[in-house]
Amino acid sequence: SVHSEATRLKAEKKTSPEELAKMMRGAIDDKLQTMKNQVLIETTKEGLKIQIVDNEGSEIFRSGSDEPTDKARQIIRLVSENIREKPNRIIIEGHTDSAPFKSAQKTNWELSTSRASAARRELESNGIDPNRIARVVGYADQDPLIKEDPKDLRNRRISIILLP
């Protein structure tokens, strides 16, 4: 009925970025104890930002590869479960550290872009509607998380941003 549709839409709109952040943190604390230091959640002016970062001995992509590790897949699956029912559009960003990576065809630009796209595929295979994806962007090493140390592993990350 029209009434239940209106109610559903109102319910969808209600979750503020702050509430969503709290929900995500709770889910991560609950389900991903061992990896929770690899998932950074913050609300920014662009919306809710979920960053999945590399850590010593615990990578989300193998070096030079855009194939997500099992850890990355687990984290993205959990993120997907928590945002699947929301209407927000999504931006996916890929970032590398500044260690020069040059194979025949690849620089950090290609790598960051193909990692962002790999994350998009993971989200979609976990039930995220492809029409919600607003942008998929690669930043190479131009927007480091740890600005004072461009080679810090945590600069290697994927950001999933839920637009307000």
Side-chain angles (χ1 to χ4, degrees):
S1 74
V2 173
H3 178 72
S4 64
E5 179 67 9
T7 314
R8 189 183 66 79
L9 285 172
K10 202 154 56 231
E12 277 189 350
K13 282 214 170 58
K14 262 211 294 266
T15 320
S16 72
E18 290 72 24
E19 289 172 293
L20 200 53
K22 207 165 118 192
M23 204 175 76
M24 285 294 315
R25 284 191 194 104
I28 284 156
D29 284 352
D30 193 33
K31 302 238 175 48
L32 295 177
Q33 270 299 307
T34 55
M35 294 179 251
K36 68 180 191 187
N37 59 346
Q38 286 186 258
V39 186
L40 313 175
I41 297 168
E42 57 180 333
T43 49
T44 66
K45 56 183 189 308
E46 348 176 47
L48 176 69
K49 189 176 225 184
I50 303 158
Q51 305 205 71
I52 307 169
V53 302
D54 257 9
N55 230 330
E56 196 64 62
S58 180
E59 300 172 319
I60 54 169
F61 290 99
R62 290 183 201 14
S63 184
S65 162
D66 61 5
E67 182 64 35
T69 59
D70 287 344
K71 276 213 165 87
R73 289 203 161 93
Q74 264 179 288
I75 296 171
I76 292 172
R77 185 177 314 125
L78 185 68
V79 169
S80 301
E81 282 164 15
N82 282 277
I83 66 176
R84 199 178 288 141
E85 303 307 319
K86 305 285 174 253
N88 313 57
R89 304 213 57 213
I90 300 166
I91 294 175
I92 305 164
E93 301 175 342
H95 301 269
T96 63
D97 58 21
S98 68
F101 178 77
K102 289 207 173 54
S103 72
Q105 312 68 29
K106 267 197 190 142
T107 67
N108 278 329
W109 287 107
E110 281 85 12
L111 199 55
S112 61
T113 305
S114 56
R115 285 176 174 176
S117 234
R120 173 193 56 78
R121 286 191 297 275
E122 286 296 311
L123 285 169
E124 290 177 5
S125 70
N126 281 292
I128 298 297
D129 177 355
N131 294 318
R132 286 177 58 193
I133 309 290
R135 280 202 299 282
V136 177
V137 200
Y139 284 95
D141 58 354
Q142 296 304 302
D143 182 18
L145 183 64
I146 313 298
K147 300 201 182 340
E148 57 282 6
D149 182 5
K151 288 198 165 65
D152 190 298
L153 280 179
R154 289 166 297 176
N155 291 320
R156 296 179 49 185
R157 68 198 191 282
I158 290 290
S159 306
I160 298 170
I161 300 161
L162 272 80
L163 299 171

